[in-house]
Amino acid sequence: MNYALIFAGGTGQRMNTKTRPKQFLELHGKPIILYTIEAFENHPDIDGIVVVCLEDWIPFLRKKLEHYDIGKVIDIVPGGATGQESIRNGLMALEKAVGPDHCVMVHDGVRPLVSPETISECALSVARFGSAVSVTPAIETIVQENNGTVTSIIDREACRMAKAPQCFNLGELLDAHRRAEEEGSAGFIDSASLMSHYGHALHTVATGPENIKITTPSDFYIFRAFLDARENSQIFGL
């Protein structure tokens, strides 16, 4: 079975908003996090969802889930001091609810435009290979630098940008988190880097350019443009 773990624990400092965290900013009256949850809620391959949320915002999120008739959310758990700890909290809650032998798709709460095709391909990749890391091609030149000087230019044809969802066997991912905790290893930027560190092979799944993470105000405007274009195509049959 396939479960989504949606991480919505950030405060959104780069969004320059003081009113609410970025995942709760609204577009057309709906918080960003609800768009993200609905992408998994409406997918037939997803059997349940756990959301990791800022503790003070959990009551607000529960009301929104009820308002939008979201039925697949198993649990909402508070985040920890770091992103790594927050995801571990969510994994433990999911394991407690359904057991370890399932696919878990770790996804950013502020990545609301993930497509049904990406979710389907990720589920298939985990079933076949045990992992799925969503990626897009690198479209600009990538360089390495030291003290302001370029030391090498990397062939971008061989480069990919890691996105989300990042998907693994739930038990294996949780074991990696527990090993990191025992060893005092912190600072893994995402699940892919954590699993790679502990020797797991990472298989890639291509995702679309619209699968953006809303981090800055410009990202929000891009999200609005994508969403408006999608709605216009439905209205006008484009």
Side-chain angles (χ1 to χ4, degrees):
M1 302 179 80
N2 304 300
Y3 293 89
L5 173 58
I6 298 176
F7 171 68
T11 56
Q13 295 179 357
R14 281 174 288 181
M15 285 295 291
N16 297 322
T17 175
K18 298 180 180 180
T19 57
R20 58 178 61 193
K22 59 185 177 182
Q23 59 270 30
F24 294 107
L25 295 177
E26 294 187 353
L27 179 60
H28 302 321
K30 183 188 298 185
I32 293 171
I33 180 64
L34 264 295
Y35 287 98
T36 306
I37 292 172
E38 284 181 336
F40 292 91
E41 168 78 16
N42 296 331
H43 198 287
D45 292 341
I46 298 299
D47 299 287
I49 303 166
V50 167
V51 183
V52 182
C53 182
L54 292 167
E55 189 167 11
D56 290 345
W57 284 83
I58 290 178
F60 175 86
L61 180 56
R62 290 192 187 280
K63 291 180 180 178
K64 290 297 182 180
L65 294 178
E66 183 177 355
H67 176 76
Y68 287 98
D69 195 27
I70 302 297
K72 289 185 180 179
V73 173
I74 298 169
D75 201 358
I76 307 173
V77 299
T82 65
Q84 188 174 321
E85 182 181 340
S86 296
I87 291 173
R88 185 172 69 246
N89 289 351
L91 292 171
M92 289 190 297
L94 185 55
E95 182 192 45
K96 182 178 179 180
V98 302
D101 193 20
H102 301 285
C103 165
V104 59
M105 301 187 180
V106 181
H107 194 72
D108 302 299
V110 288
R111 202 181 285 274
L113 293 172
V114 58
S115 70
E117 292 79 14
T118 293
I119 295 172
S120 295
E121 288 299 317
C122 283
L124 185 60
S125 179
V126 174
R128 288 180 174 177
F129 307 115
S131 63
V133 178
S134 304
V135 299
T136 56
I139 59 174
E140 298 190 43
T141 300
I142 298 174
V143 303
Q144 291 181 311
E145 64 93 20
N146 184 31
N147 293 326
T149 301
V150 173
T151 58
S152 65
I153 298 177
I154 303 172
D155 180 8
R156 70 183 183 191
E157 293 298 322
C159 294
R160 299 292 183 269
M161 308 293 290
K163 305 289 186 175
Q166 298 182 357
C167 317
F168 303 93
N169 173 272
L170 170 58
E172 291 179 355
L173 181 55
L174 189 51
D175 284 345
H177 273 274
R178 286 168 172 156
R179 286 183 64 183
E181 183 183 20
E182 291 170 359
E183 296 170 6
S185 300
F188 290 103
I189 59 173
D190 58 13
S191 297
S193 61
L194 174 67
M195 292 295 273
S196 178
H197 177 79
Y198 288 110
H200 292 269
L202 305 181
H203 292 264
T204 61
V205 167
T207 189
E210 76 281 358
N211 188 12
I212 62 171
K213 183 178 180 181
I214 300 174
T215 304
T216 65
S218 61
D219 297 326
F220 183 84
Y221 297 129
I222 293 170
F223 168 46
R224 184 171 67 183
F226 269 116
L227 195 65
D228 289 346
R230 180 185 295 175
E231 291 181 351
N232 288 340
S233 69
Q234 294 174 353
I235 294 170
F236 299 109
L238 299 178

